[in-house]
Protein backbone atom coordinates (compact mmCIF):
# COMPACT_ATOMS: atom_id res chain seq x y z
CA UNK A 1 0.00 0.00 0.00
CA UNK A 2 1.28 3.46 -0.85
CA UNK A 3 1.05 6.45 1.46
CA UNK A 4 -0.84 8.41 -1.17
CA UNK A 5 -3.95 10.25 -0.04
CA UNK A 6 -6.37 9.14 -2.72
CA UNK A 7 -9.36 11.17 -1.45
CA UNK A 8 -8.95 14.27 -3.65
CA UNK A 9 -8.19 12.04 -6.63
CA UNK A 10 -11.32 9.99 -6.00
CA UNK A 11 -13.42 13.12 -5.84
CA UNK A 12 -11.93 14.39 -9.11
CA UNK A 13 -12.36 11.05 -10.86
CA UNK A 14 -16.05 10.78 -9.93
CA UNK A 15 -16.62 14.40 -10.97
CA UNK A 16 -15.06 13.99 -14.41
CA UNK A 17 -16.83 10.67 -14.93
CA UNK A 18 -20.06 12.68 -15.18
CA UNK A 19 -18.65 14.27 -18.32
CA UNK A 20 -17.80 11.00 -20.09
CA UNK A 21 -18.98 10.86 -23.70
CA UNK A 22 -20.17 7.28 -24.02
CA UNK A 23 -23.34 7.17 -26.15
CA UNK A 24 -22.48 3.73 -27.56
CA UNK A 25 -21.43 1.67 -24.57
CA UNK A 26 -23.18 3.85 -21.95
CA UNK A 27 -20.24 2.87 -19.76
CA UNK A 28 -18.87 5.95 -18.03
CA UNK A 29 -15.31 6.00 -16.68
CA UNK A 30 -13.43 8.70 -14.79
CA UNK A 31 -9.71 9.02 -14.17
CA UNK A 32 -7.63 11.38 -12.05
CA UNK A 33 -3.89 11.54 -12.48
CA UNK A 34 -1.74 13.25 -9.87
CA UNK A 35 1.15 15.12 -11.43
CA UNK A 36 4.50 15.60 -9.70
CA UNK A 37 3.57 19.28 -9.88
CA UNK A 38 0.74 18.57 -7.41
CA UNK A 39 -1.96 19.21 -10.02
CA UNK A 40 -4.74 16.69 -10.59
CA UNK A 41 -5.36 15.99 -14.27
CA UNK A 42 -8.79 14.62 -15.09
CA UNK A 43 -9.83 12.32 -17.91
CA UNK A 44 -13.06 10.67 -19.08
CA UNK A 45 -13.74 8.26 -21.90
CA UNK A 46 -14.61 9.81 -25.24
CA UNK A 47 -16.29 7.40 -27.65
CA UNK A 48 -16.66 7.62 -31.40
CA UNK A 49 -19.06 6.24 -33.99
CA UNK A 50 -16.09 4.39 -35.48
CA UNK A 51 -15.67 2.44 -32.26
CA UNK A 52 -11.92 1.88 -32.56
CA UNK A 53 -11.21 5.57 -32.12
CA UNK A 54 -12.59 5.56 -28.57
CA UNK A 55 -10.29 7.19 -26.06
CA UNK A 56 -10.26 5.71 -22.56
CA UNK A 57 -10.46 7.88 -19.46
CA UNK A 58 -6.88 7.04 -18.46
CA UNK A 59 -5.31 8.10 -21.74
CA UNK A 60 -7.55 11.16 -21.77
CA UNK A 61 -6.02 12.17 -18.39
CA UNK A 62 -2.48 11.62 -19.73
CA UNK A 63 -3.23 13.85 -22.71
CA UNK A 64 -4.58 16.59 -20.43
CA UNK A 65 -1.45 16.42 -18.28
CA UNK A 66 1.09 16.41 -21.10
CA UNK A 67 -0.69 19.26 -22.89
CA UNK A 68 -0.46 21.25 -19.65
CA UNK A 69 3.28 20.57 -19.44
CA UNK A 70 3.32 17.76 -16.86
CA UNK A 71 5.08 14.48 -17.74
CA UNK A 72 5.66 12.93 -14.35
CA UNK A 73 2.97 11.31 -12.22
CA UNK A 74 2.68 10.00 -8.68
CA UNK A 75 -0.75 8.34 -8.63
CA UNK A 76 -3.77 7.42 -10.72
CA UNK A 77 -7.37 6.76 -9.71
CA UNK A 78 -9.86 5.09 -12.06
CA UNK A 79 -13.55 4.90 -11.20
CA UNK A 80 -16.61 3.22 -12.67
CA UNK A 81 -20.03 2.33 -11.28
CA UNK A 82 -19.46 -1.41 -11.40
CA UNK A 83 -19.63 -4.35 -9.01
CA UNK A 84 -15.87 -4.91 -9.16
CA UNK A 85 -13.22 -2.24 -9.79
CA UNK A 86 -12.16 -1.90 -13.43
CA UNK A 87 -8.51 -1.85 -14.41
CA UNK A 88 -6.85 0.13 -17.21
CA UNK A 89 -6.88 -1.61 -20.60
CA UNK A 90 -3.66 -2.83 -22.21
CA UNK A 91 -3.30 0.21 -24.43
CA UNK A 92 -3.66 2.57 -21.47
CA UNK A 93 -1.16 0.58 -19.41
CA UNK A 94 1.46 0.98 -22.12
CA UNK A 95 0.77 4.70 -22.53
CA UNK A 96 0.91 5.25 -18.75
CA UNK A 97 4.18 3.29 -18.54
CA UNK A 98 5.77 5.87 -20.80
CA UNK A 99 5.71 8.18 -17.78
CA UNK A 100 7.00 5.89 -15.04
CA UNK A 101 5.60 3.61 -12.38
CA UNK A 102 3.15 4.79 -9.73
CA UNK A 103 0.34 3.55 -7.49
CA UNK A 104 -3.08 3.03 -9.07
CA UNK A 105 -6.35 2.90 -7.18
CA UNK A 106 -9.23 1.23 -9.01
CA UNK A 107 -12.52 2.09 -7.36
CA UNK A 108 -16.26 1.52 -7.50
CA UNK A 109 -18.78 3.37 -5.36
CA UNK A 110 -18.34 0.80 -2.59
CA UNK A 111 -14.96 -0.85 -2.94
CA UNK A 112 -11.45 -0.25 -4.22
CA UNK A 113 -8.23 -2.03 -4.95
CA UNK A 114 -4.73 -0.60 -5.00
CA UNK A 115 -2.01 -1.79 -7.35
CA UNK A 116 0.89 -0.34 -9.30
CA UNK A 117 1.50 0.17 -12.98
CA UNK A 118 4.48 -2.19 -12.91
CA UNK A 119 2.22 -4.90 -11.49
CA UNK A 120 -0.35 -4.38 -14.22
CA UNK A 121 2.28 -4.18 -16.94
CA UNK A 122 5.63 -5.74 -16.05
CA UNK A 123 8.63 -5.19 -18.33
CA UNK A 124 6.78 -2.43 -20.19
CA UNK A 125 9.92 -0.89 -21.63
CA UNK A 126 12.62 -3.51 -21.16
CA UNK A 127 15.04 -3.53 -24.06
CA UNK A 128 13.10 -1.16 -26.27
CA UNK A 129 15.51 1.50 -27.58
CA UNK A 130 17.78 0.55 -24.65
CA UNK A 131 15.28 1.60 -22.00
CA UNK A 132 15.84 -0.37 -18.79
N1 LIG B 1 -12.96 2.39 -20.73
C1 LIG B 1 -12.17 3.33 -20.13
O1 LIG B 1 -12.32 4.53 -20.36
N2 LIG B 1 -11.25 2.89 -19.24
C2 LIG B 1 -11.08 1.59 -18.85
O2 LIG B 1 -10.24 1.30 -18.00
C3 LIG B 1 -11.90 0.55 -19.45
C4 LIG B 1 -12.80 0.97 -20.54
C5 LIG B 1 -14.01 2.86 -21.65
C6 LIG B 1 -13.77 2.64 -23.11
C7 LIG B 1 -15.20 2.59 -23.64
O3 LIG B 1 -15.62 3.93 -23.87
C8 LIG B 1 -16.01 2.03 -22.50
O4 LIG B 1 -15.21 2.20 -21.33
C9 LIG B 1 -16.38 0.56 -22.67
O5 LIG B 1 -15.26 -0.21 -22.88
Amino acid sequence: MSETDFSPLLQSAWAVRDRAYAPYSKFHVGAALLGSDGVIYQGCNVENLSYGLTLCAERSAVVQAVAAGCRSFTALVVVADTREPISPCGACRQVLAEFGDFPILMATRVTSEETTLATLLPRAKTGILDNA
Side-chain angles (χ1 to χ4, degrees), residues 21-22 25-30 44-47 54-59 78 86-89 92:
Y21 177 72
S25 73
K26 318 264 192 249
F27 188 73
H28 293 199
V29 183
C44 58
N45 52 330
V46 181
E47 297 188 344
T54 289
L55 184 66
C56 294
E58 297 90 327
R59 270 175 293 151
V78 187
I86 64 160
S87 66
C89 77
C92 287

Side-chain angles (χ1 to χ4, degrees), residues 2 4 15 21 28 34 42 46 51 58-59 80 88-89 91 93-94 104 107 109:
S2 67
T4 311
Y21 177 72
H28 293 199
L34 181 60
Q42 295 174 300
V46 181
Y51 289 11
E58 297 90 327
R59 270 175 293 151
C89 77
R93 293 176 196 199
Q94 190 74 50
I104 297 179
R109 292 204 189 277

